[in-house]
């Protein structure tokens, strides 16, 4: 009698962690169960550590609250934000896997135009495992996708592409708008499904959103610091933006690619635009000076590792952005603390044992 076909092992099952920052609950995981259950979750519980976050049965996870972060990092915990989704980067640091996928707890499974449920994780993995083309733009989008290729005139010397460091997904329903845009367009919903994945060209920055994001942690992990945001800080909701600008400058310098486009998730909650305005208003005018800083940032050729690039960037932040606001002096120091903590938890060669004192299942 024919044996029932064994279910294929999910791609990168033991090489990828799913990092979820939460201040709410994890009910959304039920909808993702078919896609996420085989993977290990790293839950970063923000806010009150005495609150019990229920993780749905059947998931393999580690859960870290603020007490855990303080216990594990000691004084270096000062670089991990409190009461802001920026706390998620602690999950990147404690992971021992090659890849990370991070998703917000108000993001659900979206459907493509045919009505098929989108396995966002699978698409991110496809994006990360195929090369990027940052040095020359392919007008037929992702040339490595089935049914596409490099178009006429695309240099053959560049068709091998480069390693992909980051895969930036998008959102149906509630778009990731800033507070002013949310205020003037409260009812706007993104209904446009664009079936494309693009490499962001070298030398071009972009607004990286952290709600549906995957990256090669072994390549670019140390650059994925989400900054000092939230409690006690003059700014919020620029965590992912800061990380995206630092990351892109470093990827451009080291010759790695960043992709944006598919997959889509369904973003369900519109956060409060008035609260968001209070969090992000300084960022809205600071960024007019931050963007030229990153656009003109030059990393010396001696910066051959992400850590060296990141420490060089922190020096330039201190030297050039301190005049914008003293906050950037503090942020520059926190960037150094982040790298110190990263290297402490990820000694070269890595150590696959789990960290002490985390809640694991
Ligand atoms: O203090 C907090 C607030 C939230 N979280 C968790 O972080 C994510 C995102 O939270 P939320 O969905 O409320 O916020 P959005 O405005 O939709 O998020 C987008 O804006 C960026 C804010 O920086 C964020 O990266 C984008 O995704 C949820 O999982 C909350 O539970 C938190 O941990 N601490
Ligand atoms: Mn949200």
């Amino acid at each position: 009698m024919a044996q029932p076909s064994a279910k294929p092992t999910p791609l990168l099952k033991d090489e990828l962690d799913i990092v979820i920052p939460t201040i709410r609950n994890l009910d959304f995981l039920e909808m993702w169960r078919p896609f996420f259950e085989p993977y290990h979750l790293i839950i970063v519980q923000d806010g009150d550590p005495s609150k019990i976050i229920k993780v749905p049965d059947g998931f393999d996870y580690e859960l870290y609250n603020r007490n855990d972060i303080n216990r594990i990092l000691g004084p270096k915990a000062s670089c991990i934000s409190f009461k802001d989704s920026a706390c998620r980067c602690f999950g990147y640091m404690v992971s021992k896997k090659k890849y990370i996928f991070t998703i917000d707890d108000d993001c659900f499974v979206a459907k493509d135009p045919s009505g098929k449920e989108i396995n966002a994780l699978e698409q991110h993995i496809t994006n990360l495992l195929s090369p990027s083309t940052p040095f020359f733009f392919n007008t037929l989008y992702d040339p490595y996708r089935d049914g596409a290729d490099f178009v006429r005139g695309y240099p053959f010397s560049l068709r091998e592409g480069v390693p992909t460091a980051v895969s930036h997904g998008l959102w149906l329903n509630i778009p990731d708008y800033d507070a002013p845009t949310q205020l003037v367009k409260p009812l706007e919903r993104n209904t446009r499904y664009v079936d494309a994945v693009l490499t962001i060209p070298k030398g071009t920055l972009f607004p990286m959103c952290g709600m549906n994001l995957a990256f090669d942690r072994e390549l670019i992990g140390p650059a994925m610091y989400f900054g000092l945001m939230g409690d006690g800080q003059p700014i919020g909701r620029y965590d992912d933006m800061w990380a995206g600008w630092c990351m892109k400058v470093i990827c451009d310098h080291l010759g790695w690619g960043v992709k944006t486009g598919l997959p889509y998730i369904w973003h369900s909650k519109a956060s409060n635009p008035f609260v968001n305005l209070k969090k992000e208003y300084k960022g809205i005018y600071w960024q007019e000076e931050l963007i030229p800083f990153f656009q003109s940032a030059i990393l010396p050729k001696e910066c051959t590792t992400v850590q060296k690039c990141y420490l060089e960037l922190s020096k330039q932040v201190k030297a050039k952005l301190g005049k914008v606001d003293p906050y950037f002096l503090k942020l520059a120091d926190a960037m150094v603390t982040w790298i110190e903590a990263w290297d402490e938890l990820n000694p070269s060669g890595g150590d696959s044992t789990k960290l002490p004192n985390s809640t694991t299942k």
Side-chain angles (χ1 to χ4, degrees):
M1 185 174 77
Q3 290 300 319
S5 58
K7 277 175 74 175
T9 305
L11 272 174
L12 302 182
K13 175 178 171 306
D14 300 318
E15 296 173 83
L16 180 142
D17 280 339
I18 298 174
V19 174
I20 304 165
T22 189
I23 201 161
R24 296 190 272 240
N25 65 68
L26 298 172
D27 299 346
F28 84 119
L29 284 174
E30 280 310 334
M31 192 174 194
W32 289 104
R33 187 181 290 276
F35 303 136
F36 288 4
E37 195 167 39
Y39 294 88
H40 181 68
L41 310 181
I42 296 181
I43 296 150
V44 183
Q45 176 185 339
D46 195 15
D48 178 2
S50 66
K51 181 182 168 189
I52 302 295
I53 299 276
K54 175 87 177 68
V55 182
D57 292 342
F59 286 97
D60 172 67
Y61 71 92
E62 300 162 57
L63 185 146
Y64 297 94
N65 63 28
R66 192 68 208 187
N67 293 337
D68 297 319
I69 295 172
N70 293 339
R71 181 169 49 244
I72 291 163
L73 294 184
K76 295 191 180 72
S78 62
C79 76
I80 303 297
S81 298
F82 186 55
K83 293 190 178 172
D84 187 284
S85 63
C87 65
R88 73 173 86 216
C89 63
F90 179 75
Y92 311 158
M93 187 190 283
V94 295
S95 169
K96 296 298 173 202
K97 302 290 177 56
K98 176 166 173 54
Y99 299 98
I100 294 286
F101 169 51
T102 188
I103 185 169
D104 291 2
D105 62 15
D106 63 344
C107 295
F108 293 84
V109 178
K111 289 184 174 165
D112 69 19
S114 74
K116 182 172 178 261
E117 291 201 336
I118 299 166
N119 181 347
L121 181 54
E122 186 181 58
Q123 180 63 49
H124 277 302
I125 290 172
T126 300
N127 292 350
L128 290 172
L129 295 184
S130 61
S132 294
T133 55
F135 304 121
F136 199 85
F137 187 77
N138 191 54
T139 49
L140 200 56
Y141 313 114
D142 182 356
Y144 303 102
R145 185 176 178 178
D146 290 348
D149 211 315
F150 292 98
V151 295
R152 179 170 53 87
Y154 200 100
F156 281 86
S157 59
L158 292 174
R159 294 194 182 195
E160 192 179 343
V162 299
T164 300
V166 172
S167 170
H168 177 263
L170 297 172
W171 344 272
L172 291 173
N173 194 38
I174 309 284
D176 187 20
Y177 285 165
D178 51 46
T181 309
Q182 279 181 293
L183 285 165
V184 295
K185 302 174 114 179
L187 303 179
E188 186 148 298
R189 296 294 178 267
N190 180 29
T191 59
R192 187 181 303 117
Y193 180 96
V194 176
D195 183 9
V197 176
L198 294 171
T199 292
I200 300 172
K202 177 175 179 174
T204 301
L205 297 172
F206 74 111
M208 185 175 82
C209 171
M211 80 169 100
N212 172 23
L213 182 72
F215 59 90
D216 184 327
R217 180 180 169 280
E218 282 182 2
L219 267 188
I220 198 67
M224 296 298 271
Y225 175 45
F226 274 40
L228 288 176
M229 302 282 154
D231 195 47
Q233 306 302 340
I235 186 172
R237 288 171 54 80
Y238 268 80
D239 50 325
D240 36 11
M241 300 299 145
W242 181 262
W245 297 330
C246 293
M247 174 278 294
K248 189 61 168 62
V249 166
I250 293 171
C251 281
D252 286 351
H253 175 73
L254 294 177
W256 299 331
V258 178
K259 292 177 181 174
T260 187
L262 299 179
Y264 284 88
I265 50 84
W266 179 269
H267 185 206
S268 72
K269 268 195 192 62
S271 39
N272 182 309
F274 293 103
V275 171
N276 289 346
L277 186 57
K278 280 187 205 150
K279 291 181 179 179
E280 64 189 54
Y281 81 93
K282 282 183 183 265
I284 290 174
Y285 61 86
W286 281 348
Q287 71 184 6
E288 298 305 329
E289 298 198 58
L290 299 183
I291 300 301
F293 163 77
F294 283 104
Q295 283 170 330
S296 58
I298 294 170
L299 298 174
K301 64 180 186 329
E302 294 72 26
C303 293
T304 52
T305 67
V306 174
Q307 281 89 334
K308 287 178 185 170
C309 291
Y310 205 76
L311 292 173
E312 173 58 28
L313 259 186
S314 71
K315 281 186 199 138
Q316 294 184 25
V317 166
K318 181 163 272 192
K320 298 179 181 174
L321 296 181
K323 63 179 172 23
V324 173
D325 188 278
Y327 165 75
F328 292 102
L329 302 175
K330 204 168 62 160
L331 181 55
D333 290 341
M335 290 168 74
V336 176
T337 306
W338 161 263
I339 292 296
E340 288 170 349
W342 182 282
D343 288 345
E344 199 174 293
L345 265 58
N346 299 279
S348 51
D351 168 1
S352 59
T353 54
K354 270 200 181 36
L355 283 153
N357 309 320
S358 66
T359 317
T360 59
K361 278 277 181 206

